[in-house]
Amino acid sequence: EVQLVESGGGLIQPGGSLRLSCAASGFTVSSNYMSWVRQAPGKGLEWVSVIYSGGSTYYADSVKGRFTISRDNSKNTLYLQMNSLRAEDTAVYYCASLGDQYYFDYWGQGTLVTVSS
Amino acid sequence: QSVLTQPPSVSGAPGQRVTISCTGSSSNIGAGYDVHWYQQLPGTAPKLLIYGNSNRPSGVPDRFSGSKSGTSASLAITGLQAEDEADYYCQSYDSSLSAPNYVFGTGTKVTVL
């Protein structure tokens, strides 16, 4: 059974940094396309970033230059390093795997990031 | 902001049929990219409901069906049940930028009367 478990969320001041983790079981992170998707309180879903199996990384314009997606193959874990955080980054962050037709097939339970002074 | 437009809400009585539209453009749905649908129950993570326009993952009831035409797609729920009350999102791929861009719809809240 595929399971994705996020951690690392919390309350952080504007301008601060936070690293989210997504531990996978039941499949191999490095062999799949993996993404982060976020959802601001009471709002819709927003794609944040993707890392392809070959290692290429891409970002939404709203986080480009501030967020970095990466993975640790030995730990089968996906990461999202978030720097220069803003109030508008407040959201539940989900990690999700991408199926071969560009759909998000498996999702974690999410971790809440609150950016506030 | 979302590039796929959905109605904010739809409602229906138990047993009825409801449909949710998802309107895109020539750089996403109209460009031939598949549309996928997700169901998000209150307080939970989204769950894949329909992939590749009309395919159901294992375990999804056949009350849920999807279709695509031109620059739009639709999700239909027949025989509406109380447990179908949730938020629904469409999703596709957009090629208007020089880099990958996975886009979601604005979301639709389904209320069972």
Side-chain angles (χ1 to χ4, degrees):
Chain A
E1 180 194 4
V2 174
Q3 195 170 14
L4 301 172
V5 179
E6 300 96 334
S7 60
L11 175 63
I12 187 76
Q13 291 189 340
S17 298
L18 209 56
R19 189 179 80 157
L20 306 182
S21 300
C22 172
S25 58
F27 83 149
T28 304
V29 165
S30 61
S31 300
N32 288 274
Y33 291 6
M34 298 295 298
S35 253
W36 289 95
V37 176
R38 69 184 180 182
Q39 185 171 35
K43 302 297 184 181
L45 301 170
E46 179 189 17
W47 171 73
V48 172
S49 180
V50 64
I51 182 167
Y52 290 157
S53 51
S56 299
T57 59
Y58 300 95
Y59 303 89
D61 286 346
S62 57
V63 306
K64 199 174 298 182
R66 300 187 299 123
F67 290 11
T68 302
I69 190 172
S70 64
R71 66 191 183 208
D72 184 328
N73 298 344
S74 66
K75 295 182 178 179
N76 206 30
T77 298
L78 179 73
Y79 301 101
L80 185 68
Q81 177 68 42
M82 303 185 297
N83 299 330
S84 303
L85 283 162
R86 307 166 179 168
E88 54 264 36
D89 295 319
T90 294
V92 174
Y93 285 74
Y94 298 101
C95 72
S97 58
L98 261 176
D100 53 9
Q101 293 177 52
Y102 300 148
Y103 54 84
F104 299 96
D105 47 6
Y106 298 105
W107 297 69
Q109 85 288 353
T111 186
L112 176 62
V113 173
T114 303
V115 184
S116 174
S117 55
Chain B
Q1 59 275 28
S2 302
V3 298
L4 304 179
T5 302
Q6 300 177 231
S9 63
V10 298
S11 62
Q16 282 190 332
R17 179 178 187 268
V18 297
T19 62
I20 301 170
S21 61
C22 174
T23 303
S25 67
S26 58
S27 63
N28 41 68
I29 300 174
Y33 295 109
D34 288 338
V35 178
H36 321 292
W37 292 88
Y38 304 86
Q39 177 192 59
Q40 186 175 31
L41 297 170
T44 69
K47 167 193 161 186
L48 180 65
L49 195 65
I50 297 286
Y51 68 94
N53 305 315
S54 59
N55 302 292
R56 287 185 306 276
S58 174
V60 173
D62 59 6
R63 302 184 292 104
F64 295 93
S65 61
S67 63
K68 172 190 160 185
S69 178
T71 57
S72 296
S74 290
L75 173 72
I77 310 174
T78 57
L80 194 64
Q81 298 183 5
E83 63 251 38
D84 299 334
E85 190 159 287
D87 293 324
Y88 293 82
Y89 295 90
C90 60
Q91 178 254 316
S92 187
Y93 182 92
D94 190 277
S95 59
S96 61
L97 304 177
S98 58
N101 189 20
Y102 302 91
V103 292
F104 287 94
T106 48
T108 299
K109 181 174 181 58
V110 170
T111 301
V112 182
L113 302 172

